[in-house]
Amino acid sequence: MKISLRAKLILSYFALTSFTGILIFLLIYLTSDQRLKSLVNQEQQAEIIAEVLSWYQIERSWQGFEEYYANLHPKKPNASKLTERKGKKPPPKSAKVRINQHGILDADKRVLKQFLTFSPGEVPPDVYLTKIIPIEFEGKLIAWFVPKDGKGISLKSEKKIFFEHTNQVLLIAVATALFVAAILGGILAKYLLRPIEALTKASQAMAKGDLQQSVVKTSHDELGELADSFNKMSAELTLADTKRRQMTADIAHDLGTPLQVISGYIEMAQDLNSPLDPSKLAIISTEIGHIKRLLSDLTILSDADKQTLSVICVDISLTGLFTRIERAYQAQCEKAGVTLSTCVELEKDTALLDEERMIQVLSNLVSNALRYSKDGGEILLKVSQESAYLVLEVRDQGAGIQAEHLPFIFDRFYRVSDSRSNESGHMGLGLSITKALVELQGGVISVESGGKGQGCRFQMRFLMFDS
Ligand code: ADP
């Protein structure tokens, strides 16, 4: 059976109210009996003592008291079986006696009115007289009152009246509480469910493909946090979806451009029915190289995503690493009029890194630095230690990157200037691959730039040393 959250909330209020009502009723029922008995007993006791005093005040003797008392308290039929069980042996002195009838004794403890099995004039044994109360008149002891122990009191009528009244009050209280619970439950359910309804609506829209959803945060409690998390999730999914679409479009474009060039030359050769000359074959070969590089870059990124890209970190020489890079780029730098220098500021030359992956990382950074440097520029490769970190830097004095591009520079297919047609082969994957490779070795990469024409500083930090 499907019960809505609203109904469940209202039902739970109902259940709580009913439970509280029943609990109050039971507590009153179970605890009131004894108190009521003692109250009634005290009341009866005061009444009888007043009667005894009023008799004595007028008569000044006990002559005729029994008759006076019998008139005041006519015996109910079947009232006290004990009074009829005459001749019964008195209990031993040590026995605990249950007294379920008031007794009145004169100053010498002689019975003044029939009391249990004792007739007027008899003196009951002490065991019956443990709780007797003196009755005094004008400072003189005139009689004793033997109180009931209360256990024999029948509260039927008093209890009935009391419970009838209590039940009525409880019933009114529970009915009012149920009414209030229904109204409050309704209001609270509406207030609580409003953000949940908004979230349900928004997530249903997301399930249909409309990822850009935002719900209003109406409170600062757990529901508010849920709304915040939902909005964040929606924003991230939207961003991821936009990037995925952009990436598909970029891949299609970057594969399409070289394929167009290649198919153009092949069609030309077919039309002319003549073989392609070596220069055209070289262009085709370059374009094929671009396709291969794109596929290889995509494979690296996909392996990094699947976490199947392996790194083997062993102690490598950082001077050796820089020397390999210098050798690879020296000629190109000289040709471009750029100085490539290295700086190793370390006590120990070795670090736990994957040499081939680091060559790939530094090659990406140095080739970018070279591409964006002008004649006369400088590129510096530096390694140093900053507390527990090994810090590798690639600095250049080239074109720089404007602040608005910096947050996206490591994103896949992100290029600062849309120079796709001119810069075939540079598809904006180099820095995202670099970042993946650095992270795979436990490092982080960041970039700083003073802006256009101010050069760039790429910095990689690896936690290596004991701080
Ligand atoms: P690509 O492989 O197309 O060069 P990258 O991911 O390596 O792509 O770089 C992304 C963008 O970052 C480039 O389009 C370029 O605009 C910018 N960039 C990277 N390195 C530098 C640098 N050293 N100086 C200036 N801009 C740079």
Side-chain angles (χ1 to χ4, degrees), residues 245-313:
R245 286 168 201 266
Q246 184 62 46
M247 195 165 137
T248 316
D250 285 337
I251 294 170
H253 184 277
D254 288 328
L255 278 175
T257 310
L259 282 174
Q260 250 174 9
V261 176
I262 295 166
S263 65
Y265 282 123
I266 291 173
E267 274 168 27
M268 196 172 87
Q270 281 170 338
D271 288 348
L272 297 174
N273 205 13
S274 72
L276 289 170
D277 62 53
S279 67
K280 294 199 175 73
L281 281 174
I283 294 172
I284 288 175
S285 166
T286 311
E287 295 304 330
I288 288 173
H290 290 157
I291 294 173
K292 276 186 177 170
R293 188 168 155 206
L294 174 62
L295 291 177
S296 135
D297 286 354
L298 287 173
T299 308
I300 293 176
L301 286 171
S302 135
D303 286 349
D305 287 344
K306 287 189 285 179
Q307 296 183 334
T308 52
L309 204 64
S310 63
V311 280
I312 303 160
C313 291

Side-chain angles (χ1 to χ4, degrees), residues 293 368-369 371-372 396 399-401 409 414-417 426-432 456 458:
R293 188 168 155 206
N368 275 350
R371 182 149 19 106
Y372 297 103
D396 67 65
I401 301 168
I409 212 75
Y414 192 83
R415 277 165 279 204
V416 172
S417 57
H426 297 287
M427 294 157 289
L429 288 175
L431 287 181
S432 50
C456 283
F458 285 88

Side-chain angles (χ1 to χ4, degrees), residues 137-388:
F137 182 70
E138 292 173 350
K140 196 180 120 202
L141 177 77
I142 55 159
W144 293 94
F145 180 78
V146 188
K148 275 188 200 182
D149 58 15
K151 284 187 182 122
I153 291 176
S154 158
L155 290 174
K156 269 184 198 144
S157 60
E158 289 87 346
K159 207 169 175 178
K160 212 174 152 206
I161 297 166
F162 177 77
F163 279 111
E164 262 173 19
H165 178 70
T166 313
N167 285 351
Q168 258 175 14
V169 172
L170 258 177
L171 216 71
I172 295 170
V174 169
T176 316
L178 281 175
F179 178 70
V180 173
I183 294 178
L184 270 183
I187 296 171
L188 209 76
K190 201 174 169 192
Y191 169 76
L192 283 176
L193 293 180
R194 207 184 306 147
I196 296 179
E197 277 165 5
L199 278 165
T200 313
K201 230 176 169 181
S203 47
Q204 280 167 350
M206 272 179 100
K208 283 182 187 155
D210 188 359
L211 297 176
Q212 198 160 11
Q213 296 296 323
S214 168
V215 289
V216 182
K217 182 180 173 176
T218 51
S219 57
H220 293 279
D221 51 15
E222 287 84 346
L223 284 172
E225 274 176 36
L226 185 64
D228 270 347
S229 315
F230 180 86
N231 288 342
K232 212 171 142 208
M233 180 186 78
S234 160
E236 275 169 17
L237 280 175
T238 309
L239 187 71
D241 189 56
T242 313
K243 279 186 181 173
R244 184 182 57 81
R245 286 168 201 266
Q246 184 62 46
M247 195 165 137
T248 316
D250 285 337
I251 294 170
H253 184 277
D254 288 328
L255 278 175
T257 310
L259 282 174
Q260 250 174 9
V261 176
I262 295 166
S263 65
Y265 282 123
I266 291 173
E267 274 168 27
M268 196 172 87
Q270 281 170 338
D271 288 348
L272 297 174
N273 205 13
S274 72
L276 289 170
D277 62 53
S279 67
K280 294 199 175 73
L281 281 174
I283 294 172
I284 288 175
S285 166
T286 311
E287 295 304 330
I288 288 173
H290 290 157
I291 294 173
K292 276 186 177 170
R293 188 168 155 206
L294 174 62
L295 291 177
S296 135
D297 286 354
L298 287 173
T299 308
I300 293 176
L301 286 171
S302 135
D303 286 349
D305 287 344
K306 287 189 285 179
Q307 296 183 334
T308 52
L309 204 64
S310 63
V311 280
I312 303 160
C313 291
V314 290
D315 263 337
I316 61 162
S317 157
L318 294 158
T319 321
L321 185 72
F322 281 181
T323 311
R324 279 183 68 183
I325 295 293
E326 269 182 308
R327 272 198 212 125
Y329 286 93
Q330 203 61 60
Q332 289 176 58
C333 285
E334 271 169 26
K335 201 173 152 200
V338 175
T339 316
L340 176 64
S341 49
T342 61
C343 172
V344 179
E345 280 178 4
L346 278 178
E347 277 179 30
K348 197 176 146 214
D349 177 47
T350 56
L352 213 57
L353 291 168
D354 183 318
E355 183 157 350
E356 293 316 310
R357 297 297 187 197
M358 282 315 290
I359 290 287
Q360 215 170 339
V361 164
L362 293 175
S363 300
N364 280 346
L365 296 174
V366 171
S367 63
N368 275 350
L370 183 60
R371 182 149 19 106
Y372 297 103
S373 288
K374 282 194 211 132
D375 191 357
E378 268 181 43
I379 298 172
L380 173 69
L381 282 174
K382 185 181 166 191
V383 63
S384 58
Q385 181 181 346
E386 264 179 35
S387 58

